[in-house]
């Protein structure tokens, strides 16, 4: 007897991928996510590959995973995919201490973020 399958969290013509521990603040990651919202999946990958932001590499891995999930798990057409949702949130935060002058210390915050990308198969309207 196998594990009971949970209901899908997205629609029948959608696929999902999540990156849980991306090193950097959610505010900076959201700047990268804004670049791809609403774009075609192929165009979004091109935008991320030429972006100067360091987190664009991690976001492109998550987007490539969402595209692969759409193709392999849900039998969606890769050429008709658009980025439906690219939401960003906070994850864990590492707290470190740095020694300073006169026996004092300073707090160093190392934030992590998560990104959730949903791609949807877009139906072409005929004119």
């Amino acid at each position: 007897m196998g594990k009971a399958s949970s209901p899908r969290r997205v629609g029948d013509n959608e696929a999902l991928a999540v990156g849980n521990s991306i090193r950097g603040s959610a505010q900076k990651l959201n700047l990268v996510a804004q670049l791809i919202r609403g774009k075609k999946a192929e165009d979004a990958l091109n935008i991320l590959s030429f972006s100067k932001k360091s987190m664009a590499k991690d976001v492109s891995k998550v987007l490539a995973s969402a595209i692969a999930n759409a193709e392999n798990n849900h039998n969606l057409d890769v050429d008709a995919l658009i980025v439906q949702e690219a939401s960003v949130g906070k994850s864990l935060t590492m707290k470190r201490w740095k020694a300073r002058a006169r026996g004092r210390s300073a707090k160093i915050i190392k934030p992590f973020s998560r990104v959730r990308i949903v791609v949807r198969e877009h139906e072409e309207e005929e004119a």
Side-chain angles (χ1 to χ4, degrees):
M1 189 167 195
K3 185 173 117 178
S5 64
S6 60
R8 289 198 61 193
R9 292 180 286 175
V10 292
D12 290 335
N13 62 342
E14 295 176 342
L16 166 74
V18 179
N20 280 324
S21 295
I22 297 176
R23 179 70 173 86
S25 70
Q27 187 175 9
K28 292 178 183 177
L29 184 60
N30 194 33
L31 293 174
V32 177
Q34 282 178 348
L35 295 173
I36 64 170
R37 286 190 186 112
K39 301 275 194 310
K40 293 183 71 172
E42 184 180 351
D43 295 340
L45 282 174
N46 287 333
I47 289 169
L48 291 173
S49 66
F50 289 106
S51 175
K52 291 184 179 181
K53 301 282 187 184
S54 62
M55 283 188 264
K57 189 185 299 182
D58 296 322
V59 174
S60 73
K61 286 181 185 178
V62 177
L63 178 59
S65 176
I67 293 169
N69 289 342
E71 181 180 13
N72 298 323
N73 299 345
H74 307 300
N75 299 322
L76 301 178
D77 183 20
V78 177
D79 297 326
L81 291 178
I82 60 168
V83 179
Q84 177 67 27
E85 174 187 337
S87 58
V88 174
K90 292 182 178 180
S91 186
L92 61 98
T93 301
M94 292 194 306
K95 296 174 180 77
R96 300 291 183 260
W97 298 99
K98 183 176 182 179
R100 302 305 302 242
R102 300 172 71 179
R104 299 181 186 184
S105 60
K107 190 189 299 188
I108 297 175
I109 303 294
K110 296 187 176 187
F112 285 78
S113 304
R114 66 178 48 129
V115 63
R116 179 181 191 262
I117 295 180
V118 177
V119 292
R120 171 181 280 173
E121 189 175 32
H122 182 67
E123 297 84 17
E124 297 290 328
E125 293 95 21
E126 304 212 9

